[in-house]
Amino acid sequence: MDDFLDEGEELVAGRRPVEEAFVAQRPAMRLLVVPQRRQALERLVLHATSLRIPIIEVEGGTLTAVAGFDGHQGIALVVGPRRFASLDEILARSIERAEPPFVLALDSLEDPQNVGTLLRSAEAAGVHGVIFPTRRQAPLSPSAVKASAGAVEHLLLCPVDDLPGALSDLRIRGLRVVGAEAGAPLTARQSDLRGPLAIVVGSEGQGLSPAVRRRCDFVVRIPMRGAIGSLNAAVAGSIMLFEAVAQRDPDGKGAETRPAETMEAKFAVEPAGADDTVHDEPYIEAAETAGTTDEALQTDTIPAGEPPSPSADELLPGESVSD
């Protein structure tokens, strides 16, 4: 690993996370690519080349060892240290958007996949920031970043040494704190989730810790109708987030007013009729770099849009078609 990562550097692995790291303009040191996947990933490689980022070919097993998981899709970007936010910055973002504060708090989740999935849901739901404890919490590992589909690049993330204390601080600033609990008297739909709000998702095995539970203004439950009596933490948290979204914006009018920094997608697809199957992969608008001559990088205006997924025959073992 030391051959590819220096101290303080972070590895972002997976096609979509690498794209989002480019969109977020994360300082990049080198791009790692598995040779067998290079053609399918050529647009990302060309973009890295236009930014004069060194391209290093590595074997799939080596990249799996470096990333710590096998869902890297044959590509990873080495970037500088991630910048974390403060509570003040999170609340400032709500002011910038002219919205009541909307915060997600993670209470000692253990599974990186759950962390990543919740971060993806949080970004899609328009939360202003995510707070989580610095201890007894699954790390923001490459697999968690991959599970978020790159959403972490557009979120304000705030690690705190004292989560109950941070929730108390939010309450002082006018936010209500709500958690999920199976025995709660009211469902999420029956509760008022409008206004300044922090939603807390408890750990997979223990739920809300006692200290965090005491900071909750109220708890709600998700009605269950089947034989299974509980939901995965990421699923339950996502349901809570989007129930709040439905109440806060019942007409869906806020969907078109999200800031450009979180909504813009600097991707484009080759015109219809292109004869190379690699065009199924998106490419990213080239930086304005002197000397770039590749025709694929001569685009002045890039329409926004969701990049298409690779076909099933392009995937490596353990990859997901959707991400």
Side-chain angles (χ1 to χ4, degrees):
M1 182 179 296
D2 292 340
D3 294 338
F4 302 104
L5 282 177
D6 293 332
E7 185 176 356
E9 294 178 340
E10 178 186 352
L11 190 77
V12 174
R15 180 182 61 87
R16 186 68 177 272
V18 169
E19 289 173 350
E20 297 302 333
F22 280 138
V23 170
Q25 298 183 340
R26 291 284 300 275
M29 285 68 180
R30 60 199 73 89
L31 185 72
L32 310 181
V33 181
V34 174
Q36 294 87 339
R37 285 280 288 162
R38 181 156 183 162
Q39 183 180 15
L41 298 165
E42 191 64 17
R43 299 307 178 193
L44 290 175
V45 173
L46 286 173
H47 181 67
T49 301
S50 75
L51 297 177
R52 292 179 169 77
I53 298 170
I55 312 298
I56 300 176
E57 292 191 342
V58 298
E59 293 302 317
T62 301
L63 188 53
T64 296
V66 175
F69 76 118
D70 61 3
H72 48 70
Q73 298 176 300
I75 191 166
L77 186 67
V78 179
V79 294
R82 183 177 300 277
R83 181 189 177 278
F84 291 105
S86 65
L87 288 180
D88 288 338
E89 289 175 298
I90 290 175
L91 298 180
R93 173 166 285 188
S94 74
I95 295 173
E96 292 170 1
R97 295 184 183 177
E99 298 170 344
F102 189 21
V103 177
L104 173 66
L106 308 181
D107 183 12
S108 304
L109 270 70
E110 301 171 356
D111 185 348
Q113 293 292 317
N114 282 338
V115 172
T117 299
L118 276 166
L119 294 178
R120 182 176 187 172
S121 295
E123 203 285 324
V127 304
H128 302 123
V130 181
I131 63 174
F132 53 91
T134 54
R135 298 181 298 276
R136 297 184 296 278
Q137 169 82 18
L140 196 60
S141 62
S143 63
V145 173
K146 173 63 165 55
S148 81
V152 294
E153 307 302 341
H154 309 296
L155 281 169
L156 293 182
L157 304 176
C158 176
V160 294
D161 294 330
D162 178 11
L163 181 60
L167 293 174
S168 295
D169 190 4
L170 290 177
R171 293 180 67 190
I172 292 172
R173 296 171 185 236
L175 279 74
R176 292 176 303 146
V177 177
V178 55
E181 196 168 74
L186 296 178
T187 67
R189 180 64 54 86
Q190 294 169 331
S191 305
D192 185 358
L193 302 180
R194 298 170 298 175
L197 188 72
I199 292 178
V200 188
V201 178
S203 67
E204 295 88 348
Q206 305 300 320
L208 299 174
S209 64
V212 167
R213 174 64 177 82
R214 288 194 295 270
R215 268 65 175 191
C216 290
D217 292 287
F218 60 101
V219 292
V220 301
R221 60 182 170 85
I222 297 171
M224 305 291 292
R225 296 291 182 265
I228 302 300
S230 64
L231 293 172
N232 170 276
V235 173
S238 298
I239 291 173
M240 292 276 290
L241 286 168
F242 283 96
E243 175 59 35
V245 169
Q247 293 188 23
R248 295 158 69 90
D249 185 22
D251 298 324
K253 294 180 179 178
E256 302 301 325
T257 61
R258 295 285 301 282
E261 64 178 3
T262 60
M263 288 296 292
E264 70 174 6
K266 297 180 180 178
F267 308 116
V269 180
E270 287 284 338
D275 57 0
D276 192 342
T277 57
V278 72
H279 295 163
D280 288 339
E281 290 288 334
Y283 67 94
I284 301 176
E285 179 183 13
E288 296 178 358
T289 307
T292 301
T293 58
D294 194 290
E295 290 184 359
L297 300 178
Q298 301 303 312
T299 304
D300 293 324
T301 303
I302 303 297
E306 182 76 10
S309 300
S311 59
D313 59 355
E314 291 177 336
L315 299 176
L316 295 176
E319 291 184 2
S320 166
V321 173
S322 62
D323 291 338

